Amino acid sequence: MLKKIGKNKKMVLAALVAGVMSFGIMGSDVTMAATPAKTLATASQMQRSSISELDNDTRVFKIDNSIEAKNVKFENRFGFEVAGHLYLPKNFNASKQYKAVVITGPFGAVKEQSSGLYAQEFAKHGYVAVAFDPSTTGESSGSRRNMGSPEIFTEDYHAAVDFVSNLKFVNPDQVGAMGICGLSGMAITAAGSDSRIKAVATSAMYDMSESISDHYNGAYYTPEQRGIVKQHLAKMRNEEAKSGKAIRGAHELGVDAKGNVETFDTMFPDKLPADASPVIKDFFGYYVGRAFHPRAINSNKLAWDSVTPYGFFDFKLMSNIDELGKTPVMLITGDKAHSKYFSDNVYAAIKGEKEEIVVPGATHVDLYDQMDKIPFDKLFAFFDKNLK
């Protein structure tokens, strides 16, 4: 292959001028980027950030090779380095300015899964998009790994807006935010205080503060069970303090009939029991099946840090929902989604411009990656209208 390239320099140069050149290396396809990462990096006005080539591509959805993707890193105000993928529109021109959207989620997923798929679709529609790993998860920094935090994860959205709005090829007045599943609450919370976010959308929304501290629909924990959970969390904190080591555990803790806390050190087993609920089977089919990724907490090799629930007991994500003011909000859910009540409740609470899309026949997990269920046309129309 190298000899052939050496003999045909004119053909190689012609291919590079055309923009994209693909050739086989060890049986795989490698696509040379039309826009060098160094060129993009010079267009960034954010000091604590970087853009590099996506050399080790581990995305688990169907990749559109007409869309360029780059590795990016940017620092949030707590000093965490957030890792993301930057998606560029077709026929990208660095001298132009584009609309942009920042995306993350679900809770415990990575940018190589659902958020990356959404970002790729936005890029196909003509947007600059960034899918990112929340702090302490995936490829983002944090010496304590997989520690969930409503405040830090919300800050990650602000930092992502710092990054995209300081790219010279992005119009800083045309930036939106999107949250999938458990990062939806953080997206809405961030939009409430960040005037740079001109519109916000959610898909398969979960309010993790309610889900973790109240369990399902606020009807799971009795006062006695809540006390048992708090005692368990205190025990975990003491054990971690004494050992200096993280202890894996469930982010949503059950309490059985005997008053024992139900937890685990991996999110899913290798195989589900036959009597697993349809909801669990749906999650399992995505995270352990078609979208398995070794860095995803929700795949069956990892779990959250056992004291993750503390932040969600301490702070309620939806407490500042009135701060949204006139910021437009779109909520996407499915009529068969077990999480639908989250979207319903938030929709009822929003006083400003809002829209709720209920997809017929869609479950919660369908909205992660099922292209025939996700209403991208309505999503794009929402952002096109509001990012003017």
Side-chain angles (χ1 to χ4, degrees), residues 72-274:
V72 299
K73 292 183 179 180
F74 47 88
E75 189 173 286
N76 71 18
R77 68 185 176 93
F78 294 116
F80 289 97
E81 188 176 65
V82 180
H85 286 161
L86 171 67
Y87 289 80
L88 302 175
K90 290 182 180 180
N91 304 313
F92 173 75
N93 184 339
S95 66
K96 294 183 178 181
Q97 279 199 319
Y98 298 87
K99 297 176 182 179
V101 63
V102 297
I103 311 168
T104 192
F107 194 76
V110 289
K111 61 189 178 300
E112 290 82 2
Q113 296 173 317
S114 183
S115 60
L117 172 62
Y118 274 73
Q120 179 175 266
E121 291 301 307
F122 271 99
K124 287 164 67 175
H125 187 65
Y127 281 58
V128 168
V130 173
F132 62 91
D133 294 331
S135 296
T136 83
T137 72
E139 292 185 306
S140 292
S141 75
S143 58
R144 289 289 291 271
R145 301 305 301 162
N146 304 329
M147 179 69 76
S149 167
E151 183 179 7
I152 295 173
F153 288 1
T154 299
E155 163 60 21
D156 291 336
Y157 271 103
H158 296 306
V161 174
D162 292 341
F163 176 75
V164 296
S165 63
N166 278 288
L167 294 171
K168 292 179 181 179
F169 50 82
V170 167
N171 186 327
D173 294 322
Q174 295 180 314
V175 176
M178 171 137 206
I180 303 168
C181 184
L183 272 294
S184 296
M186 293 77 169
I188 290 175
T189 301
S193 61
D194 198 331
S195 62
R196 301 171 301 172
I197 299 175
K198 304 304 183 184
V200 60
T202 69
S203 184
M205 181 184 180
Y206 251 77
D207 174 357
M208 293 310 298
S209 291
E210 179 181 332
S211 184
I212 290 174
S213 66
D214 287 343
H215 227 306
Y216 188 73
N217 207 8
Y220 187 87
Y221 291 145
T222 65
E224 292 75 19
Q225 289 171 328
R226 187 180 296 277
I228 290 170
V229 168
K230 290 179 180 179
Q231 289 174 5
H232 169 80
L233 291 174
K235 179 182 177 182
M236 292 298 99
R237 286 201 71 127
N238 281 333
E239 289 186 10
E240 289 195 346
K242 289 175 181 177
S243 69
K245 298 178 180 180
I247 301 171
R248 291 178 178 181
H251 62 291
E252 296 184 354
L253 296 161
V255 180
D256 66 20
K258 295 181 179 179
N260 299 311
V261 169
E262 297 173 323
T263 187
F264 44 75
D265 61 6
T266 58
M267 288 296 291
F268 290 105
D270 291 330
K271 186 178 181 180
L272 285 182

